[in-house]
Amino acid sequence: MKTIRLHPGKERSLLRRHPWVFASSIAKGGADSGETVRVEAADGQFLAWAAFSPASQIRLRVWSFDEAQHIDAAFFSERLRTAIGRRHTLGIGLTACRLVHGESDGLPGCILDRYADIVVLQAGSAGIERWKSALVGALRTLMPEVRIYERSDAALREREGLPQATGWLHGAGDTQVDILENSLRLQVHVATGHKTGFYLDQRDARVRFAGLVRSQGLRRVLNCFSYTGGFTLAALTGGAQQVVSVDSSAPALALAAQHVALNGFDAARATFVDADVNATLRRLRDEGAQFDAIVLDPPKFASSPQQVERAARAYKDINRLAFHLLPPGGWLFTFSCSGGVGADLFQKIVAGAALDAGADAQIVARTGAGLDHPLSLHFPEGEYLKGLLLRKN
Ligand code: SAH
């Protein structure tokens, strides 16, 4: 077993159970990609077992802080069983659910999303790449009924020095499945959809939105960055009369339109705009359009700390434009999924946007990802999604 020795003082974050060690903290030692190493403080004290990633700035990701723990196939099987068990005890239906949420479930870099009989694996770290077949074996034992599809094509693979990898790991056949979310039928295309196919993390926000539209009797809804129409269906469920969905992906909008039909809603209530959101918001403002509620759920604007400033401007722009399109009493459900933009900063950006639009608003609720995306107390980076539900004064 290879040993990695840290610089003096660099053991502190590990002692606080944070699962990452950056390259600059390492004094001595190296290993192969994904290899398990023993991590020691400068004085030789044992700190953790971790996976080594030679290409990544995040050079080590911790498997365990317990010196007696063996990192073997049984370890991964146990972590997987625990993660799935947690969803069971929370009463989350497992047919459209995140089964493993990376660091927060003790499996750094590992995402497992289940859609009906397909589980999608995203291996985002050298360690998970190395133990992939052990994980697949464990999953097959725990869930013999599922097929397993790999979507390791996210940009972060590059940072880990790993090639892209997609395709069946177990089973074969159609990569398109039907799921039920909040009693709505949705199609997920695991081979071609975004991320692992769908944005499971917004499930709770969508239910909340449907309830809001219903309780407030909201009629005109604008859903920006609609993807396959998650919030569009929520608005229709809540009784909205006119829902406009904007996205720059034609296939996503086509699927959104299919979803409207699949769930038996009148097609006349839904309009789809294949265009840039920013340009569309400007056009709508110039036309004097008004909506009772607007959803802004953009893609990640900042994927590194260097991009935060530019991202802040982009968030501010769309939120400012949205405020112009709301009458007094109108609702804005606005999100950021950029890890680098914290909840405080996001709120400041939105406050600035309101000010620039000459508007004022109240925060009625704050939202985050659902219960199947738990957050480790020691890993604040896991909190990437934040939402503000605002009512314009
Ligand atoms: N709200 C969605 C998820 C949004 S993901 C849901 O509930 O499922 C972000 C979406 O923004 C993607 O569908 C992507 O195609 C779209 N997108 C990214 N940049 C865009 C832009 N500039 N204008 C319009 N849509 C954009």
Side-chain angles (χ1 to χ4, degrees), residues 194 198-199 202 206 223-231 246-249 252 275-278 297-299:
H194 293 182
F198 187 62
Y199 294 89
Q202 289 285 34
R206 293 185 197 110
N223 180 14
C224 297
F225 308 98
S226 67
Y227 190 48
T228 60
F231 284 100
V246 188
D247 203 285
S248 55
S249 157
D276 175 64
V277 162
N278 205 297
D297 185 21

Side-chain angles (χ1 to χ4, degrees), residues 63-76:
W63 295 132
S64 173
F65 295 101
D66 175 4
E67 191 166 8
Q69 177 68 57
H70 292 281
I71 308 302
D72 51 15
F75 166 83
F76 288 95

Side-chain angles (χ1 to χ4, degrees), residues 134-206:
L135 276 163
V136 169
L139 187 58
R140 287 179 60 184
T141 307
L142 290 164
M143 291 186 157
E145 69 281 16
V146 301
R147 298 179 284 155
I148 306 169
Y149 194 87
E150 179 169 23
R151 279 295 300 274
S152 302
D153 51 7
L156 49 91
R157 290 274 293 187
E158 237 166 85
R159 277 179 256 157
E160 289 285 312
L162 301 169
Q164 313 256 311
T166 56
W168 289 109
L169 294 168
H170 168 63
D174 204 350
T175 51
Q176 182 179 315
V177 277
D178 274 3
I179 59 165
L180 265 188
E181 187 195 67
N182 308 322
S183 309
L184 291 164
R185 276 181 70 190
L186 292 152
Q187 265 183 22
V188 177
H189 295 204
V190 300
T192 54
H194 293 182
K195 303 213 287 187
T196 63
F198 187 62
Y199 294 89
L200 286 170
D201 51 4
Q202 289 285 34
R203 182 199 307 113
D204 292 1
R206 293 185 197 110

